[in-house]
Amino acid sequence: MQLGVVGLGRMGQIVVDRVTAAGHDVVAFDLDAEAVATAADTGATPAEDLADLADRLGDEKRIWLMVPAGDAVDATLDELEPHLDGDDIVVDGGNSHFEASVRRAESTPAAYLDCGTSGGPAGAELGFSLMIGGPEWAYEELSPVFDAVATGPEGHDRMGPRGAGHYVKMVHNGVEYALMQAYGEGFELLANGRYDLDLESVARTWNNGAVIRSWLLELCEEAFREEGNDLGDVADYVAGGSTGTWTVQEALEQEVPVPLIYQALAERFGSRAEDGRFARRLANRLRYGFGRHEVQRQ
């Protein structure tokens, strides 16, 4: 299969690498010429611009967008629109709001797949978890590519019609907020409790057979190993928050109580006006662990 990839940041380059490694052909474009050159070095065919990318893909275009959510997605679609028709497929692999994905699916000439993508930079080796919404025929057509980008056939599925993929990913991120908060509070109590504990050892022990073992707990172990038992100069500042806000807003609209997710979001926002919470310092470091987001330092 031939796939066009637009957006060659950390996640986009992983898509390129995994698709080419699976034996598919990739045509790659990014506004950053160095990123295009890097993709070419790993086996992709470089494109000069979006029109060139579309020309190289022929009559049945399959295009994966991995550009920042928001205006960048709309601008890319506007530029691609003259080159698309109903036989083509566009995948939005970013963290778009599900309502924006529904709007884009309605206005884009091609079949539109909204693809929630989880796994962070670790997906380079392990593969991503892909939550996909949109037409079933388009999902089935691109299944070989999804097999390559995900952890395998079990690492992706069609969640439902347009918008469903990004909807599931939105709730996934809300759950992630709550899990990070729970780990943070537990380790804060251990750090300030009755015993002088090695928190790296605690995390490692919990992660071998305990009920609460997880990848996030592995990242807790990594954080204490690399930053120290007291997290060194990691600041009490947790960035991000858009997808958690969307989750809470949707819960209010659907009258579904999500107190843990709401409290985790509130703590994240509170970190920007206060300092001193160990739990938020650990959440700050965990965001580096799973997404290589910048660590705010004191």
Side-chain angles (χ1 to χ4, degrees):
M1 182 171 290
Q2 189 178 41
L3 180 73
V5 178
V6 179
L8 303 172
R10 285 194 302 261
M11 301 286 277
Q13 185 59 52
I14 292 171
V15 172
V16 170
D17 292 345
R18 291 187 65 85
V19 172
T20 54
H24 304 292
D25 296 327
V26 172
V27 180
F29 174 72
D30 192 283
L31 294 175
D32 183 346
E34 291 187 9
V36 176
T38 298
D41 288 342
T42 59
T45 300
E48 296 181 0
D49 51 32
L50 290 176
D52 183 40
L53 178 137
D55 287 343
R56 291 176 181 274
L57 292 177
D59 293 335
E60 294 185 349
K61 303 170 185 65
R62 281 79 178 100
I63 302 174
W64 190 304
L65 308 184
M66 196 60 92
V67 299
D71 292 342
V73 179
D74 290 316
T76 303
L77 290 172
D78 287 345
E79 194 168 343
L80 283 172
E81 183 172 354
H83 309 282
L84 300 176
D85 61 34
D87 294 326
D88 301 324
I89 303 172
V90 174
V91 178
D92 177 6
N95 262 337
S96 292
H97 192 284
F98 73 94
E99 290 180 337
S101 296
V102 171
R103 169 179 57 80
R104 290 166 183 148
E106 292 173 346
S107 61
T108 302
Y112 200 84
L113 296 175
D114 49 286
C115 179
T117 306
S118 181
E125 179 179 352
L126 303 174
F128 294 130
S129 170
L130 304 176
M131 298 142 264
I132 302 156
E136 187 169 2
W137 75 265
Y139 169 75
E140 295 293 341
E141 172 71 16
L142 277 181
S143 285
V145 166
F146 294 139
D147 287 348
V149 175
T151 56
E154 298 300 318
H156 65 88
D157 207 347
R158 178 177 176 268
M159 301 291 115
R162 58 194 181 196
H166 281 149
Y167 189 88
V168 173
K169 179 56 164 59
M170 173 187 73
V171 177
H172 161 285
N173 283 22
V175 172
E176 178 185 288
Y177 284 30
L179 290 174
M180 291 169 64
Q181 182 68 19
Y183 282 127
E185 290 179 8
F187 279 107
E188 184 169 21
L189 177 57
L190 293 176
N192 295 286
R194 296 172 181 266
Y195 298 96
D196 182 14
L197 298 169
D198 181 340
L199 299 186
E200 179 189 348
S201 175
V202 172
R204 181 178 61 253
T205 303
W206 279 354
N207 219 36
N208 282 274
V211 171
I212 60 172
R213 62 189 182 273
S214 73
W215 183 40
L216 280 175
L217 190 54
E218 291 179 23
L219 297 178
C220 290
E221 180 184 349
E222 174 190 279
F224 294 126
R225 181 173 63 251
E226 296 184 0
E227 304 290 348
N229 213 50
D230 62 355
L231 293 180
D233 63 351
V234 174
D236 176 17
Y237 184 98
V238 187
S242 59
T243 51
T245 299
W246 298 343
T247 303
V248 171
Q249 289 172 338
E250 175 65 7
L252 292 171
E253 289 189 23
Q254 301 301 328
E255 299 183 358
V256 175
V258 290
L260 298 180
I261 294 174
Y262 170 77
Q263 187 59 40
L265 178 66
E267 284 287 330
R268 183 170 292 206
F269 290 155
S271 74
R272 299 164 198 184
E274 307 168 10
D275 45 44
R277 284 297 306 273
F278 189 93
R280 293 193 296 242
R281 293 172 63 208
L282 181 55
N284 176 5
R285 185 54 171 72
L286 287 177
R287 293 184 77 248
Y288 171 80
F290 62 73
R292 291 300 183 257
H293 302 290
E294 181 181 358
V295 179
Q296 300 289 332
R297 302 285 179 176
Q298 296 174 339

